[in-house]
Amino acid sequence: MENKTPAVAMRDITKTFGNIVANDKVWLDIYRGEILALLGENGSGKTTLMNMLSGIYFPDAGTISVDGKEVVIRSPRDAFALGIGMIHQHFKLVDVFTAAENIVLGLKEGGKLDMKAAAAKIRAICDTYGFDVDPDQKVYDMSVSQKQTVEIVKVLYRGADILILDEPTAVLTPQETDKLFAVLRNMRSDGKAVVIITHKMHEVEDLSDRVAVLRHGQFVGDMLTKQTNAQEMTNMMVGHAVTLNIRRPEPKNPRKRLEVKNLTVRNVDGIVKLEDVSFTANSGEILGVAGISGCGQKELLEAIAGLQPVETGSVTYYEPDGGAEELLGKDPLAIAEKGVVLSFVPEDRLGMGLVGSMDLTDNMMLRSFRRGKGPFVDRKSPKKLAEQVVADLSVNTPGVSTPVRRLSGGNVQKVLVGREIAAAPTVLLTAYAVRGLDIGASYTIYDLINQQKEAGVAVIYVGEDLDVLLELSDRILVLCGGKVSGIVDGRRTSKREVGLMMTKLGGGDANE
Amino acid sequence: MNKESRFHISKRKALPWYKAWAIRGAAIVLALIVCALITTLATGLNPLKVYGTMIQGALGTPRKVWTLMQNLAILLCISLAVTPAFRMRFWNIGAEGQVLISALACAACMILLGDKVPNAVLILIMIAASVAAGAIWAVIPAFFKAKFNTNETLFTLMMNYVATQLVAYFVIVWEVPKGAGKIGIINQSTQAGWLPQIGDYKYLLNILVVAVLTVLMYVYLNYTKHGYEIAVVGESERTARYVGIKVEKVIIRTLLLSGAVCGVAGLLLVGGTDHTVTTTIAGGRGFTAVMVSWLAKFNPIGMIFASLLLVFLGRGASEISTVYGLNNSFGDILTGVILFFIIGSEFFINYQLHFRVKAEKGGEANV
């Protein structure tokens, strides 16, 4: 395998943004008939490197060769002409168009646009690799995994034989991930070169033939997947040894903290998002919530936090000293005024939890700006809090007066979690707390959540990585289509059981 | 691939302030050069002389300086008014109507109560009426935005026409003398309801009021809880609700303020300087204020300079058309060119052009 000419050879690639060196003399070889996993922590320059290959960025220095010939890639069109296609983490599709319309969008073919021929070609591609795409389906009707499939077909339609996928499994269920991997393996046997950017070690081990590791914008090394293991790869990524185990302390003196009964929620379009959901969350315990994305997780947390109008049901809060308080029908301010310290780390960090254009200090103030008499805001204590969060959680930022939008995903999350924990909550709601975070940052977040649990907080942890949910949660609530599919013991259940419950109510009689 | 464009554009990371100002300075120099070329080609005049005349026209005599300051004060006042709404991403382009309606309210007080109440009381009533009228005119679209999420841009724009028609109607009702089609100077003999003049300076009161307003608005937007709430709502309504800010309340409160400050502008125009009301009393400044606010990136202190620039250009442009007997539009052409360059310079502050060098070696020159 190593004797072949690489499909793509990147040599001494350097790219800087202002003072930040995103890539520093990176070497990378990509071979046909091989799946390469590109590993690295957040901000290590994986996406930047791949963006240069797909024509989004242009390198400051260095050369790129395709099939041994040096090339200049100035735009995605150039990349396509060389057979390079990238599937981005955030889909770039037009919602009101059909799959086929999206796929042909932007193509400059001579003659009239022939949608029938396009649809036929799309079907042919789908048959070759085992995709399931209806060319006439509108994108707004599609699930996340269907949209991703459209993105992949779009790239193949343009004749790409070097495919780059940026964290493709972040939004998929285990079953959907398996399907995607099967397709990628088909592509490999078809002689295509596949590059997958990911954080998940078990996926790397499952899928890839070779691994290349970046750290702080520099190329650390590459090796065959079967000759390495998760621990070694992680150490290379992080630069020092890390332990890959998540602690799960036994709950101490768990007591009923939050009781949700018969909760039913409709969204603005009148569609039922949650139906008759009941469960209890105990203090000193982590309740994991599993489910395919869009199964009501968001509505559940927002209903508890007072952000989502509810049709029926109740959410009762039991105070540590025994009193009870109904939370439904109250907005976040009213809940706080009742003395209930409910912290919420929402899914959309910059769209809901934080204000991107404001600096760290002003973001710390979001929860506390009403404090103090008089019309003026006090920025002194939020500034101290910001400095403390930066120090305690080792947030990588030039200072507390940097707009949070400029920080990387992991650091944004640390700021948000830091603020929410600083309020000394009794209930902590987290939605996809580690989405897009690298290993180091993820483990910091797991640690913080565990500390809260040990401090007697009732934690509700909505997650997408089943491996983590199974390691972290004391109990797991599985949602399926807005209903409770079951509540299982995190220490006894298996990934397969939870996966089945996610796709089928109760997980029962699945015959496979 | 060789057919690809000769340059590409990328977003800059934050630029140090001195570089940003260097770009702006270069833009103004370029604008002056282009204006000079246009002047020479189109009229054959010496461009330096034309520039000299512009400066003369704007700052030539103490009286001209005072007029400039007065125009600056009114434009700045209206710009201050729209700014809180803009910071909230509420596109209030109804300042024109809000100024008009408060000017009408102010004039109504002067006409109807002119000799019936003591002057001090009359002035207090005028202040209350103007501020209330502006606030009401602004809060109507705000209410519908908050309750039904109507489009505030269209709504506030339509309110302008309603205000203009109302003023046109009352001008006929109160016209002096009958058939004149205008109100004329109100209470010319008694001067009832005329805002007091400080010393010999007719415009000083207006200027001082707006100066104080500028400082207050700066403090309000940057250092108060209200100002903070406005910024959060503007950036993300979802974040605002998440921390328990009542978005509807903030929208209505902010537009009350926005309209009230427009009311002050109407009061200063009618009670302070013009002592009459016409349909053109706002003179398009409700719209120019939108530009001032944007040019200054919603910063009240920056707005002083932005309105100074616009007022200076306007005064200078009208001077050259008089002095050289040129068509009025010529001044506008020069103003347009200068604004084009200044607004265009923001593009170069935010983005970077990379030009392609002849050799295809992938070398790049950064500009």
Side-chain angles (χ1 to χ4, degrees), chain A residues 162-173:
Chain A
I162 300 163
L163 275 96
I164 306 160
L165 296 100
D166 192 355
E167 297 198 33
T169 61
V171 289
L172 302 182
T173 62

Side-chain angles (χ1 to χ4, degrees), chain B residues 251-288:
Chain B
I251 290 178
I252 287 177
R253 187 182 68 205
T254 306
L255 265 287
L256 276 174
L257 174 73
S258 192
V261 179
C262 278
V264 173
L267 172 79
L268 294 180
L269 276 173
V270 175
T273 48
D274 290 15
H275 308 130
T276 184
V277 65
T278 64
T279 50
T280 54
I281 193 165
R285 282 179 282 204
F287 298 106
T288 314

Side-chain angles (χ1 to χ4, degrees), chain B residues 69 72-73 76-77 80 204-218 268 300-301 304:
Chain B
M69 294 289 282
L72 168 65
L76 180 57
C77 183
L80 289 172
L204 188 56
L205 177 76
N206 287 5
I207 294 163
L208 289 179
V209 168
V210 176
V212 170
L213 266 181
T214 309
V215 174
L216 287 181
M217 188 57 82
Y218 181 77
L268 294 180
I301 306 300
I304 300 174

